Amino acid sequence: MAAPKDPRPCSIADALALVGEKYSLLVLREVCLGNGRFDQLVRNIGAPRDVLAARLRRLVDGGILTKRVYSERPQRFEYRPTPAGLELEPLLMLLKEWGDRHLRADDDRPMVVEHICGNELVPVVTCAACGDEVRHEDLTAHPQAPGWTLSGPAAA
Amino acid sequence: MAAPKDPRPCSIADALALVGEKYSLLVLREVCLGNGRFDQLVRNIGAPRDVLAARLRRLVDGGILTKRVYSERPQRFEYRPTPAGLELEPLLMLLKEWGDRHLRADDDRPMVVEHICGNELVPVVTCAACGDEVRHEDLTAHPQAPGWTLSGPAAA
DNA sequence: GCCGTGAGTTGGAAATTCAAACCCTCTTCT
DNA sequence: AGAAGAGGGTTTGAATTTCCAACTCACGGC
């Protein structure tokens, strides 16, 4: 199909199509914290029950969450992150840290996360190859597929 | 008001309220690539023009983007990331890498990003204090505000 | 029996999204 | 001069989604 006027092929867009809908990442937050039951999710996230049900279905068959029975008779379920889901947790930590820094007063942090090293977690994105912190100026994008147009070294 | 049945106070939720709407992070992707003009954004993202206009307004007054004039007569504008916006770019890189890994075939990568160190960028989230990669098992959450309930060391 | 809990589903009103068309201000082509 | 873009949106109306409250179904406890 890929007709003219097709948006770019892009893994960021693909990832967002799966986890970028309203509430999806909050579901993941809760599930990573161990709060994987339907009513907990409703309460903690504040999402309408029907929307939440739809998100859970989507996340389960997107391979982010699994639904497991924690009680037969009465049958009760719990959602848990898959390995792929857990791999998104650092991204949540980053979002949290960004939010703490830009959207809140210094003394108003609803949650603090501790790293196993004993310090408060301050997540930083680094380059796996050289270990340096990743910063915008140090990146160069190389499109590999059609559909991409970069504004070359344009105006400063 | 914080009545009963209020969702948690949370920086992740706050951050998502600002950049978590549909298309917002794609706008940031484009703007970080230097494609900051309205029509470029429409084409590259594939968003309806009115929705895009709304997102741009929101991102501008959320302090993520600035709108600047790149030509008087005819008056033309361009959107660019603010420092706060640029700080979200590593997060986009992470999303991209996650998407490449989980949502695509190995040989189908629409874009590759090169780090200044000369290698392909593989972003990793590390702890600023100890430098180790951040993994779920190494984290402990400490709620600081009311509204939080953690399922203690619950069922394995 | 009657109430409560967990995990959803249903129904209808309200808010958003989508797509295409339209508008305005220039600039360029002929 | 007149016609035809380009760029940056706004308008309009229909198609989707969201929201919210109420309802269901299956137990378990009192």
Side-chain angles (χ1 to χ4, degrees):
Chain A
M1 293 290 157
K5 188 225 148 179
D6 226 39
R8 299 160 174 300
C10 171
S11 294
I12 299 177
D14 294 353
L16 287 172
L18 184 52
V19 299
E21 291 173 297
K22 196 170 179 187
Y23 305 122
S24 294
L25 286 175
L26 296 181
V27 169
L28 190 60
R29 173 195 73 189
E30 288 304 312
V31 164
C32 284
L33 288 169
N35 302 137
R37 304 182 187 178
F38 193 85
D39 278 27
Q40 285 179 322
L41 293 169
V42 168
R43 274 192 299 281
N44 294 341
I45 296 173
R49 309 174 76 81
D50 58 343
V51 175
L52 182 60
R55 294 297 178 272
L56 287 170
R57 262 188 296 270
R58 183 154 179 62
L59 291 172
V60 166
D61 48 55
I64 308 288
L65 260 41
T66 49
K67 179 179 187 173
R68 46 161 259 168
V69 174
Y70 71 85
S71 151
E72 311 277 354
R73 330 213 34 76
Q75 195 147 71
R76 294 287 136 83
F77 310 99
E78 183 188 20
Y79 294 89
R80 287 161 163 270
T82 60
L86 282 177
E87 283 175 36
L88 287 171
E89 197 179 14
L91 194 142
L92 289 181
M93 294 299 105
L94 233 40
L95 214 45
K96 166 189 167 313
E97 196 261 346
W98 187 92
D100 281 344
R101 221 144 29 71
H102 294 285
L103 269 21
R104 294 186 166 271
D106 285 10
D107 57 347
D108 173 29
R109 289 138 38 83
M111 180 160 115
V112 167
V113 176
E114 188 188 328
H115 189 239
I116 200 174
C117 71
N119 295 97
E120 178 184 343
L121 176 70
V122 178
V124 180
V125 179
T126 56
C127 168
C130 70
D132 283 359
E133 182 171 351
V134 170
R135 298 165 63 219
H136 175 72
E137 321 82 83
D138 301 338
L139 304 178
T140 319
H142 299 292
Q144 311 283 299
W148 284 90
T149 50
L150 297 222
S151 301
Chain B
M1 286 300 134
K5 187 223 153 178
D6 225 39
R8 299 161 175 300
C10 172
S11 294
I12 298 176
D14 294 353
L16 287 171
L18 184 52
V19 299
E21 290 173 297
K22 197 170 180 186
Y23 305 122
S24 294
L25 286 175
L26 297 180
V27 168
L28 190 59
R29 173 194 72 190
E30 288 305 311
V31 164
C32 284
L33 288 168
N35 303 137
R37 304 180 187 180
F38 194 86
D39 277 27
Q40 286 179 321
L41 292 170
V42 168
R43 275 191 299 281
N44 295 340
I45 295 173
R49 307 174 78 81
D50 58 341
V51 174
L52 182 60
R55 295 296 178 270
L56 288 169
R57 262 187 297 270
R58 182 153 180 62
L59 291 172
V60 166
D61 46 56
I64 308 289
L65 261 39
T66 49
K67 179 178 188 173
R68 45 162 261 168
V69 172
Y70 71 85
S71 149
E72 311 275 354
R73 331 210 33 70
Q75 192 147 74
R76 296 283 139 86
F77 311 98
E78 182 187 22
Y79 294 90
R80 289 161 160 270
T82 59
L86 283 177
E87 285 176 34
L88 285 170
E89 197 179 13
L91 194 141
L92 290 181
M93 294 299 107
L94 232 41
L95 215 43
K96 167 190 166 314
E97 196 262 346
W98 186 92
D100 281 344
R101 223 144 28 71
H102 293 286
L103 270 22
R104 294 187 166 270
D106 285 10
D107 58 347
D108 172 29
R109 287 136 43 82
M111 179 161 117
V112 167
V113 176
E114 189 189 328
H115 189 239
I116 200 175
C117 71
N119 295 98
E120 178 186 342
L121 176 70
V122 178
V124 180
V125 180
T126 56
C127 167
C130 69
D132 283 359
E133 180 173 352
V134 171
R135 299 165 63 219
H136 174 72
E137 321 81 84
D138 301 338
L139 304 178
T140 320
H142 299 291
Q144 310 282 298
W148 284 90
T149 50
L150 297 223
S151 299

